[in-house]
Amino acid sequence: MLLSEQDQFLSYNGEVLVFQLSKPKRAEEADDKTMNLCVRRMAFNRDTKLFVQKSSGVFSMGAGHSEIEIICCSCTTDSRTGIILPCILMKKKKRNNVKYFLLLLHSSNQFEPSFYFKLDYELKEDIRLFAGPSLLWRHANKLFYISSNTCVVQSAPVQLSSVVWTGEIVGEGTVVLGIRAACLPQAEDPDGFSVSDRAIWGSEFFGYAIQAQKLLTGTCFMPHAYSRVVSSVYVCKSERWRKQLQISLVAITHKNQLIWFQNGAPKGVCELPYQQPCSVKPVLTSSSDLLFTVSFASGNSCVVQRRSSLQVASKWQKVKCVLVDDFISSGSEQLLLLFQDDSNTDLLSTFKITDLGEVNYASGINYKHDVPTAEGLQENSLLTVRALETRLQAGWTSVRELQQHLGLQKRVILESCRALIDLAEERTHVLPNSKEVKCRRWARSLLNSAKPFVEGLVSLWDDVENPPDTLSKETSLASEVPEHFTEELWQRVVGDSLVVGVKLTESFYLSLSDVSLSLVMDRDFSSISPIIKCQSKIIKLSKAFSALAVSSSQIEPPPKKMKLDLHRKNDLKKEFPKRSSRIQLDGAKTVTAVTSLSPLLAFHRVRCVVLLHARKQNHQNDSLQQSKKITVLCGKIWLSLEDISNGRYSIKMLRDSSYCTGSMEDILAVLAVSVRFSFHIVSCDCTLTPVSSWLLGEMECTPFKECQDNIFCHKAGNVHGTIFNWALKNPFEGVLTIFCRNLTVLFQCLHSLIRVLPPSCSVKLLRSGSKGILTEQLALALEKEMLTLKNSLFLKETKAKNSLTWGNESGKKINNASLLDTEEGVQQFRKKLQNEREESVRSMNQTMSGAMYQKIALEIAEAQLSSDIIVWRLA
């Protein structure tokens, strides 16, 4: 096939695309009204060492009396799909009207018109194609551009004399690098510059980000003095390091030089062998060497190698086109040089493929000795591709199985949340059967067929609607809870925490153990769990409001909802000197739940259901305690961003004369979010009066008006809001309890306290309250453990006694003496004795049901765990 001067060459995925304009061959179509744009995909055959045509395509255009011309072609990214496609810019000129249109070439050799635009002038200077596809050009020292998204010609607010590079830079998007006239200071007289100064400082290098529409300083690319001589640039690497733009680029100059710049500084220079260099592009070869191919206006070409220094590695003359791609499918790039040959006009007949290393193919040479090597490479490539496909398929299977497993977990959790909400609302929860689950999955698959679902998902429980046993249990459970078991439900916001409190009546609380709260968002959730992670605490308000009345966390594996139920007595019975409490026993205990506030504010307005979890204790006749788990609804709370902004739920701790005016709910909220530390302070030489002076003086503490045993710190800084409790056992010994937000505040308080204490004082951290309280709790726990063991043995012994009566139903006594008189009597006696032995063995090997054994084992384990925790804390 013959070539013409307007033919364009483009490398794409290891192939050479040849674009040609031609007229139809058939006679009936051979008029001036139609023009065809033909494309031929040429691939290198390693057996014949020639380029062969793989496929072709045609795009017909109505020409009429217009002139159609191929302006340029390049590979750009299609913004719709992110795929790199060949892009061709065409010109259609009719008299003074010029129309430009852009075509995309797909893998099926189909051309797709992208956009078109009309101008009253022709594009001649600095025409560049880039991602979108988009097009920019320079005209009358102005920059214009158009993209497929807008299809409108836009002008950039910059003046420039040339465009040297267009491409993507990290963090900036599409950037145009160019040269423009320098903006000299107004105070400077241009005529005052010398000829050399005007040549250097008269122009400047700059960058312009198209999307952000902002200028980039040229000093991050190269020094200012080089801007006058640079003719073309290629940015090899761009990255962000500590918010600074790091650029590596190579530039060619009018002085026939190639210069390597890194972070704005020149790192190497090389003299080029020919005049008028016009373009430069990189080549990454199989030896990981970075080569730069430079094309010249005279039709020559050379390659510069970058190792320890820049040097010319090879050069060629009469080169028509230089392409860079992986033409031999080796995994690295090679150079394809198409030479000018007037004697041979065939398509891609005179060429050379090289990487300046092992790869070296040229037209007109016999390569018989290279055929086995090519076959081996092809076989190795095929085996590698098959192995990669197997690994990819295995990875995809694992991902699908993981998605199915996560989907199953998600549906089980959501169904459990619905059951919990129904239980709180005192509704009967009906579990979905397998048919309903399949119908839901089928309906969702219609909406989104791309998401895999688990086949045959069924209920984890029996598919029985409204079992009679469950209904009777719920009815009996509801009857055990009194109608008015809560006195108050409140909420407060402390910092970034939400505190919800439930005040229980004394009669109801005394029958409970393991009390905790949970919060459930009362709305329909399809993607997240409505259960809110929170931490529960129990606070008892009494006449002497003790710091030790606030329970702390048990030492156990951290659950999602921590249950805290240490029922302590008040061991701080001493008060501040000359101070008496005005609060009488209020007959109630408060259970609080603390959770993070910021995740809830994402919903703007949210309603939460407050649930109380506990064990209901029943005293039987044999004084053994039997307990069962209960969950009751305490009420609902509302939370909105507007109420929080208005300070509706904020705590108010103000100083009024010598007291702190905080409500009981505010005090409880602060105690709930604080961490408690108790210190045993002993002084041998002098009294501990400095502690009281330190609290009321340096720490600026005032007692609460509602409970005067606890004092609030008003000192500015991190320690503000800390609560102290100082209880003197005698003038030389006392316990200081600190409620603080974190360990930093605790260390600040201790550092300030040590400075006022006498040197002979001993300060010891108490793990959890006083030794007397822990000893009493240990005695109760051991008693409960013994009763639990006794109860389990009693049940087994009762069953054994019942089984022993099975063999003696008649209750008759056996007269052994009368049986021994005769031989038949002896045989009968032996038979009776054997039966008694068998019954005895059966009585010693009694079995019990799995449910009974599980219940007994659970009760024993809970009792032992409780006593073990108290022993650890005592140690």
Side-chain angles (χ1 to χ4, degrees), residues 119 181 193 206 216 312 369 418 431 465 510 531 630 801 810:
L119 298 174
F193 288 97
F206 76 102
L216 304 178
V312 177
H369 58 279
R418 295 189 185 99
L431 293 172
E465 298 184 0
L510 290 177
I531 298 179
I630 62 171
K801 289 181 179 179
S810 60

Side-chain angles (χ1 to χ4, degrees), residues 661-787:
T661 59
S663 65
M664 196 62 67
E665 290 77 13
D666 294 341
I667 300 173
L668 296 177
V670 175
L671 293 175
V673 299
S674 301
V675 185
R676 179 184 57 80
F677 298 93
S678 296
F679 298 91
H680 185 221
I681 304 176
V682 179
S683 177
C684 301
D685 300 335
C686 55
T687 62
L688 295 177
T689 306
V691 178
S692 300
S693 303
W694 172 73
L695 290 172
L696 301 177
E698 182 178 346
M699 301 305 292
E700 302 178 14
C701 295
T702 57
F704 288 107
K705 202 169 185 179
E706 299 294 334
C707 46
Q708 300 177 16
D709 282 349
N710 288 263
I711 56 179
F712 185 82
C713 179
H714 295 278
K715 185 178 179 179
N718 291 335
V719 298
H720 180 81
T722 305
I723 297 179
F724 298 91
N725 183 286
W726 172 236
L728 278 172
K729 294 186 177 180
N730 54 65
F732 302 94
E733 181 182 3
V735 176
L736 177 65
T737 304
I738 303 175
F739 288 87
C740 54
R741 297 191 304 274
N742 48 52
L743 290 176
T744 303
V745 177
L746 174 67
F747 293 149
Q748 291 180 356
C749 295
L750 293 178
H751 178 71
S752 177
L753 174 63
I754 291 174
R755 291 185 301 177
V756 302
L757 288 177
S760 60
C761 276
S762 172
V763 181
K764 181 181 179 181
L765 174 65
L766 298 179
R767 283 188 176 271
S768 183
S770 65
K771 188 174 182 179
I773 291 180
L774 292 177
T775 304
E776 183 178 353
Q777 290 182 357
L778 178 60
L780 294 175
L782 292 175
E783 181 183 1
K784 181 179 179 181
E785 183 178 347
M786 292 176 59
L787 292 175

Side-chain angles (χ1 to χ4, degrees), residues 225-238:
Y226 290 87
S227 60
R228 185 70 176 178
V229 297
V230 170
S231 60
S232 181
V233 165
Y234 189 89
V235 177
C236 301
K237 184 179 180 181
S238 65

Side-chain angles (χ1 to χ4, degrees), residues 640-675:
S640 66
L641 187 59
E642 181 179 358
D643 292 338
I644 295 175
S645 302
N646 296 334
R648 180 177 178 183
Y649 303 115
S650 301
I651 61 173
K652 298 176 179 59
M653 299 289 187
L654 302 177
R655 183 184 297 184
D656 182 14
S657 183
S658 59
Y659 291 100
C660 179
T661 59
S663 65
M664 196 62 67
E665 290 77 13
D666 294 341
I667 300 173
L668 296 177
V670 175
L671 293 175
V673 299
S674 301
V675 185

Side-chain angles (χ1 to χ4, degrees), residues 27 32 48 78 101 113 121 124 188 202 212 220 307 324 419 462 499 543 552 555 617 664 796 844:
D32 294 334
T48 62
D78 188 357
F101 54 96
Y121 58 87
K124 295 182 179 180
E188 299 288 347
C220 64
R307 287 185 176 176
V324 177
D462 296 332
V499 183
K543 179 178 180 180
S552 60
I555 305 300
Q617 298 175 354
M664 196 62 67
K796 182 177 179 63
M844 296 303 294

Side-chain angles (χ1 to χ4, degrees), residues 549-580:
V550 181
S551 65
S552 60
S553 173
Q554 299 279 7
I555 305 300
E556 57 181 345
K560 188 173 183 180
K561 178 175 79 274
M562 303 180 68
K563 297 183 178 181
L564 315 166
D565 70 315
L566 297 180
H567 314 302
R568 297 193 179 96
K569 295 183 179 181
N570 185 12
D571 66 335
L572 298 182
K573 299 180 180 179
K574 300 292 183 179
E575 300 178 350
F576 275 94
K578 298 181 181 180
R579 183 185 302 159
S580 61

